[in-house]
Amino acid sequence: MKARLRRRAGARALSAEPEYALVNIVRIPDAERSPARAIGRRVLFAVCALFFTSLVVFIDRSGYRDAQGDQLSFLDSVYYSAVTLSTTGYGDITPISPGARLVNIIVITPLRVLFLIVLIGTTLEVLTERSRQALRIQRWRATLRNHTVVVGYGTKGQTAVDAMIGDGVKPAEIVVVDPSQAALDAAEAHGLVTVRGDATKSDVLRLAGAAHAASIIIATSRDDTAVLTTLSAREMNKTATIVASIRESENSHVMKQSGANSVVVTSETAGRLLGIATQTPSVVEVFEDLLTPDEGYAIAERVVDPTEVGGSPAHTVDIVLGVVRDGKVYRVGEPEVESIELGDRLLYVRRGPADKDR
């Protein structure tokens, strides 16, 4: 009980942390920028700042004096602006009128600071990266709703994410949770938001927005970890669809009792396909096709069209495999679903990626 209370206290502490303290935990992908383009923008800004300062000095050239006492030419103005913005300041040209000195204070000095920022922009960019990430995290936390949390980014987690993206889910709507930095780097490279930590701890799940998620995929490498994660996820989100992967079928009922809506037993599923392949190898190819949403056929779910109500599932325009009614799945041909009712959902074979769920 004490350990549980400590865990809850940790959850409150982490979720209450300011955004800058989460920079090393939450990573939001940034758009890739061309180095040449970044350097070009800085050079362009520096040239514009130099030209603008030269123009200001030239317009007010009567307020300046050079060492020879001659009136400033435009070249002199450019020269003065260059040595002033770069903080070299040889002193051979100086402002002498109150107006020129005022312009130096309110215009040229701020431009000098900006000019220096451009010159050392690479160093400052590294220093300000933490602040930029903190700002992104703040915006992300404020808008995080109805997304998908993927716990574990190993082979199963990566394949699940690929399937979702192939089915039209945006990468920005997926949050990956994993304790391995290497796995998170791979996820971030694919444009996914990542959270580093142990998902069995509710504070990490809360940080990933599990309380507001529409679905949670648990693809950990250990069954006991999957059970604990499912318990924590269901405790904080009563309505999310939780799908979990386990290795041993004997743990399936434990996962269901922990709150998982659907459980995939990887060892048995792989074993069945291996057995089927010995007699009918082509069937495995069909299964692979059906499980790859962005290629060929795919299994999908849709609402019933009003024109289909009262008819048989076998007589629809789609190849219907089952009917979902009141949260329960019925196979086509079972007496309970001889006729389609309003509110049913049909599990069908989608003919190609262009035909999305209706």
Side-chain angles (χ1 to χ4, degrees):
M1 178 63 72
K2 291 182 179 179
R4 187 179 181 87
L5 290 174
R6 281 196 299 270
R7 207 170 91 178
R8 288 181 177 275
R12 289 194 296 270
L14 186 57
S15 60
E17 287 284 353
E19 281 72 18
Y20 65 82
L22 304 175
V23 170
N24 293 326
I25 300 174
V26 179
R27 296 293 300 176
I28 301 176
D30 197 4
E32 294 185 1
R33 299 176 182 175
S34 167
R37 184 176 181 182
I39 293 173
R41 289 178 60 185
R42 290 172 182 167
V43 171
L44 179 62
F45 178 83
V47 171
C48 290
L50 178 61
F51 178 78
F52 178 76
T53 306
S54 302
L55 189 62
V56 171
V57 172
F58 184 70
I59 292 173
D60 194 27
R61 58 189 179 276
S62 59
Y64 293 81
R65 182 181 61 188
D66 66 3
Q68 289 76 32
D70 298 330
Q71 188 175 15
L72 267 62
S73 65
F74 186 73
L75 179 60
D76 294 330
S77 300
V78 175
Y79 165 76
Y80 172 80
S81 300
V83 297
T84 301
L85 292 180
S86 61
T87 68
T88 305
Y90 293 114
D92 50 348
I93 299 177
T94 57
I96 57 173
S97 71
R101 291 174 178 174
L102 181 62
V103 168
N104 267 262
I105 293 172
I106 65 176
V107 177
I108 297 179
T109 297
L111 283 174
R112 182 187 300 121
V113 174
L114 292 176
F115 191 83
L116 290 175
I117 290 175
V118 171
L119 290 181
I120 58 173
T122 303
T123 303
L124 288 176
E125 186 171 328
V126 173
L127 296 176
T128 58
E129 173 63 20
R130 189 179 185 90
S131 298
R132 294 197 299 117
Q133 274 287 340
L135 184 59
R136 279 198 219 101
I137 292 172
Q138 184 180 29
R139 291 197 300 260
W140 171 73
R141 293 176 74 180
T143 59
L144 192 62
R145 296 291 185 277
N146 298 322
H147 58 292
T148 299
V149 176
V150 178
V151 178
Y153 200 68
T155 302
K156 293 181 292 186
Q158 291 183 34
T159 306
V161 169
D162 290 342
M164 286 189 292
I165 293 176
D167 207 25
V169 178
K170 298 178 181 178
E173 298 174 354
I174 301 174
V175 180
V176 172
V177 180
D178 200 293
S180 168
Q181 189 58 51
L184 297 181
D185 290 341
E188 188 177 357
H190 287 84
L192 308 176
V193 177
T194 63
V195 175
R196 179 170 54 85
D198 183 359
T200 61
K201 299 177 180 178
S202 56
D203 58 337
V204 175
L205 285 176
R206 185 172 286 104
L207 195 59
H212 305 291
S215 56
I216 302 172
I217 296 176
I218 300 173
T220 58
S221 57
R222 293 169 55 96
D223 287 4
D224 54 351
T225 303
V227 171
L228 290 174
T229 304
T230 302
L231 282 169
S232 298
R234 181 55 74 197
E235 183 180 11
M236 71 176 61
N237 192 326
K238 305 299 183 184
T239 60
T241 300
I242 299 179
V243 182
S245 169
I246 57 174
R247 293 178 177 270
E248 305 299 332
S249 60
E250 62 188 31
N251 297 322
S252 180
H253 73 286
V254 179
M255 292 299 301
K256 289 289 186 68
Q257 291 176 354
S258 300
N261 298 94
S262 180
V263 179
V264 178
V265 184
T266 55
S267 58
E268 289 194 356
T269 302
R272 292 191 190 99
L273 290 176
L274 289 172
I276 292 172
T278 60
Q279 302 298 322
T280 52
S282 300
V283 173
V284 178
E285 294 184 16
V286 174
F287 272 108
E288 285 291 334
D289 187 9
L290 291 173
L291 295 174
T292 309
D294 55 345
E295 296 180 10
Y297 291 95
I299 298 177
E301 182 178 331
R302 67 173 177 85
V303 297
V304 170
D305 190 275
T307 60
E308 297 172 329
V309 175
S312 170
H315 297 155
T316 62
V317 295
D318 296 313
I319 302 174
V320 178
L321 304 176
V323 178
V324 181
R325 179 178 297 168
D326 298 327
K328 185 176 180 181
V329 179
Y330 297 93
R331 295 181 180 85
V332 173
E334 293 188 22
E336 292 86 350
V337 290
E338 287 184 355
S339 63
I340 298 174
E341 297 179 1
L342 191 65
D344 288 346
R345 296 185 65 86
L346 302 182
L347 294 172
Y348 72 106
V349 177
R350 194 179 68 207
R351 295 181 175 87
D355 181 15
K356 294 296 182 183
D357 292 0
R358 290 175 293 209

